[in-house]
Amino acid sequence: GDSVTQMEGPVTLSEEAFLTINCTYTATGYPSLFWYVQYPGEGLQLLLKATKADDKGSNKGFEATYRKETTSFHLEKGSVQVSDSAVYFCGFEGGSEKLVFGKGTKLTVNP
Amino acid sequence: DAGVIQSPRHEVTEMGQEVTLRCKPISGHDYLFWYRQTMMRGLELLIYFNNNVPIDDSGMPEDRFSAKMPNASFSTLKIQPSEPRDSAVYFCASIPPGGANEQFFGPGTRLTVL
């Protein structure tokens, strides 16, 4: 069935380090792909998205590329900041506006 | 613009009591989703509505859970009777018409059942 597998956390990095959070999905067809971010004490908010193969979504220095051949959508940032500390969720459209999410990866960035 | 509004933000209750969680979606949005988040199970979709009509309730864990959407600006999630394993953060989210799947989440209700 439809599912998302993302890198288990927690991930702890120093400020200015490079970040990669891996995400792969199992889905029928070629759904739109998303990364959502959840800051402490808040709901999820859309970070970036890609709607077709080879599209690159980007926002706030984060990037992810829709790789159809590997069914992946890995999240990257070249230089993380303390303010990036949050939980990151990979997901895709599961039909009828429903989203299928991964379990989330908690990122902590230390100064 | 006001975002999705949820109330209460925190709820502590005793096992066996009825709990009602409330959600006001963003005005004009026509889809509404209820999620539950726990450390063990992550984020689970419980039920969602389109134009106030329930579309998929397959995620509702059992008959103790029920959800309604009497109008476009209000939805409730009710647990009766509540159990300790229902302790979680419950989120509501909404999507505008033609919203390209971006869901707007509320701040959540943290429920603790003692």
Side-chain angles (χ1 to χ4, degrees), chain B residues 9 14 18-20 25 27-28 32-34 39 47 53 59-60 71 79-80 82-83 85 88 92 95 99 103-104 106:
Chain B
R9 292 294 310 274
E14 292 190 347
E18 178 180 295
V19 174
T20 299
S27 178
L32 184 140
F33 301 77
W34 282 101
M39 290 292 291
I47 185 171
V53 176
M60 296 285 263
N71 57 62
I79 308 173
Q80 166 62 18
S82 58
E83 297 183 2
R85 61 193 168 117
C92 175
I95 295 180
Q103 295 192 9
F104 292 79

Side-chain angles (χ1 to χ4, degrees), chain A residues 75-93:
Chain A
L75 183 68
E76 296 182 336
K77 186 173 185 181
S79 176
V80 294
Q81 305 300 311
V82 173
S83 58
D84 294 326
S85 297
V87 181
Y88 293 82
F89 292 86
C90 182
F92 66 86
E93 178 208 350

Side-chain angles (χ1 to χ4, degrees), chain A residues 3-111:
Chain A
S3 66
V4 174
T5 301
Q6 62 180 102
M7 185 171 153
E8 288 212 15
V11 174
T12 302
L13 297 173
S14 298
E15 207 163 24
E16 300 184 4
F18 184 84
L19 168 72
T20 299
I21 301 177
N22 291 338
C23 171
T24 57
Y25 64 91
T26 301
T28 305
Y30 305 108
S32 296
L33 305 177
F34 304 86
W35 277 99
Y36 278 73
V37 59
Q38 183 181 27
Y39 297 105
E42 299 182 11
L44 281 70
Q45 55 186 273
L46 181 66
L47 178 61
L48 54 84
K49 68 179 182 182
T51 58
K52 61 183 188 295
D54 300 325
D55 266 4
K56 179 184 284 188
S58 61
N59 186 24
K60 299 182 181 181
F62 291 89
E63 293 183 338
T65 300
Y66 191 142
R67 300 291 187 199
K68 184 177 68 174
E69 61 279 7
T70 54
T71 61
S72 64
F73 194 54
H74 305 321
L75 183 68
E76 296 182 336
K77 186 173 185 181
S79 176
V80 294
Q81 305 300 311
V82 173
S83 58
D84 294 326
S85 297
V87 181
Y88 293 82
F89 292 86
C90 182
F92 66 86
E93 178 208 350
S96 300
E97 307 289 353
K98 193 167 64 171
L99 294 181
V100 178
F101 287 105
K103 289 185 181 276
T105 302
K106 182 176 182 179
L107 169 67
T108 300
V109 180
N110 295 318

